Amino acid sequence: MTNCLNCHNNIVKEASFCPNCGAKVITERITLKRILSEVAETIFGWDNKYFYTLKSLIIRPHLVLEDYVKGVRKRYVHPFTYLIIGATLVLFTFTFFLDNFMEHLNEFNIKLAENYKNIDVKNLDLQGTDKIQGEILKYFNIVTLLLIPLYSLFTFIIYRKTFNYAEHLVFNAYIQGTGFIVALIFFYISLITHPLVYSITTFITLFLHAYIFGKLYRLSIGMSILKLLLFNVMFIAFIIILVTLIVLVSILIAYLNS
């Protein structure tokens, strides 16, 4: 018998894992090869909780959400950890590769403008347009992250039955975390193919939303589409109301200062 170095429980010498805490029994010395192997196994291993959660959300999303609500937690990454990992990967990618993407997009815009003979490319403010597009891409995912509570309110109102608002926060965190990974994949594809490929992510994210909630609530395809349309209508209405309030407040401030 020997003792586990983590919980000090008695274990047999031949054991590979501690039966009490589950820690792996390490007997070899630390080497560079072992460090790299453990890092690769932890980050890229298919049995890694993050990849298992991602795979499960694509193959059987309703079971992941139902399991988590019921109390099955050890099997999956925490929903907000999952969301933050996705957002961090997007932020990292855009920090290092956005300039390459915008250069690729600028070349496409120039070729598109040159196809119209009556348009003078030199007089077009393509750089200004590209700058705006770049800023939108850079901050869109961050804004999306901040809007999770609002999305959850909408889905709570639209789907109503069975689950409460907090549970809808969990659902939307998982959905948006998966959406970030989809966006990453298409972003990298667009770098080596065509910049417009990235625009497909908007439709795929909408499909992902309808697909996962449809599975969770056992909805027909038609009902899933209807619920998705209602979600978009509510979001557009929110934007219109928000912009209207901002304009009114700006007018009021200008009037008071005059």
Side-chain angles (χ1 to χ4, degrees):
M1 299 291 289
T2 185
N3 292 330
C4 174
L5 298 176
N6 295 280
C7 68
H8 306 293
N9 184 63
N10 290 331
I11 56 176
V12 296
K13 289 185 178 181
E14 295 79 12
S16 299
F17 296 90
C18 173
N20 183 52
C21 68
K24 187 175 182 179
V25 177
I26 305 296
T27 57
E28 304 89 352
R29 292 188 63 181
I30 295 176
T31 62
L32 180 59
K33 180 180 179 180
R34 183 168 187 82
I35 290 174
L36 295 175
S37 176
E38 289 180 352
V39 168
E41 181 181 352
T42 301
I43 297 176
F44 300 108
W46 191 244
D47 59 343
N48 175 280
K49 285 178 68 174
Y50 178 81
F51 283 101
Y52 177 79
T53 304
L54 175 61
K55 178 182 68 173
S56 299
L57 282 167
I58 295 173
I59 298 174
R60 47 181 185 274
H62 56 298
L63 296 182
V64 176
L65 304 185
E66 288 173 350
D67 281 351
Y68 196 87
V69 168
K70 291 175 181 177
V72 180
R73 306 290 165 81
K74 193 174 181 180
R75 189 181 302 167
Y76 309 108
V77 176
H78 189 280
F80 296 103
T81 301
Y82 181 80
L83 177 65
I84 291 171
I85 290 173
T88 302
L89 290 173
V90 169
L91 182 61
F92 174 83
T93 298
F94 281 8
T95 299
F96 289 95
F97 298 104
L98 184 59
D99 290 341
N100 293 338
F101 177 82
M102 295 312 301
E103 182 180 348
H104 195 29
L105 182 62
N106 183 52
E107 292 175 357
F108 167 74
N109 287 337
I110 291 175
K111 290 180 180 179
L112 184 65
E114 288 176 343
N115 287 334
Y116 296 91
K117 297 180 180 179
N118 59 332
I119 296 179
D120 185 1
V121 178
K122 295 181 180 180
N123 293 329
L124 291 176
D125 187 15
L126 294 178
Q127 290 185 347
T129 303
D130 291 343
K131 185 176 180 180
I132 294 173
Q133 291 174 316
E135 292 299 311
I136 292 174
L137 286 175
K138 186 176 181 179
Y139 295 106
F140 178 76
N141 291 299
I142 297 176
V143 172
T144 300
L145 184 65
L146 297 175
L147 287 175
I148 292 294
L150 181 66
Y151 293 160
S152 301
L153 177 62
F154 290 165
T155 56
F156 173 64
I157 294 172
I158 293 170
Y159 294 95
R160 292 178 294 178
K161 298 179 181 179
T162 311
F163 303 106
N164 60 34
Y165 175 72
E167 290 164 340
H168 275 267
L169 278 172
V170 169
F171 301 159
N172 282 279
Y174 273 134
I175 292 172
Q176 192 55 54
T178 306
F180 282 145
I181 300 305
V182 171
L184 275 182
I185 293 172
F186 278 87
F187 181 82
Y188 284 118
I189 293 174
S190 69
L191 285 177
I192 59 177
T193 55
H194 196 287
L196 289 185
V197 170
Y198 183 71
S199 62
I200 300 175
T201 57
T202 301
F203 301 100
I204 294 180
T205 302
L206 291 174
F207 167 79
L208 194 66
H209 181 281
Y211 167 69
I212 293 180
F213 272 107
K215 283 281 188 179
L216 181 64
Y217 283 88
R218 274 69 174 178
L219 301 176
S220 65
I221 295 176
M223 186 57 68
S224 295
I225 294 174
L226 183 62
K227 296 282 187 180
L228 180 62
L229 290 175
L230 182 57
F231 177 89
N232 289 324
V233 168
M234 292 180 70
F235 182 73
I236 293 171
F238 168 79
I239 295 298
I240 293 173
I241 293 172
L242 181 62
V243 171
T244 302
L245 288 174
I246 292 174
V247 171
L248 290 176
V249 170
S250 300
I251 294 174
L252 180 60
I253 292 174
Y255 174 78
L256 293 175
N257 291 333
S258 61

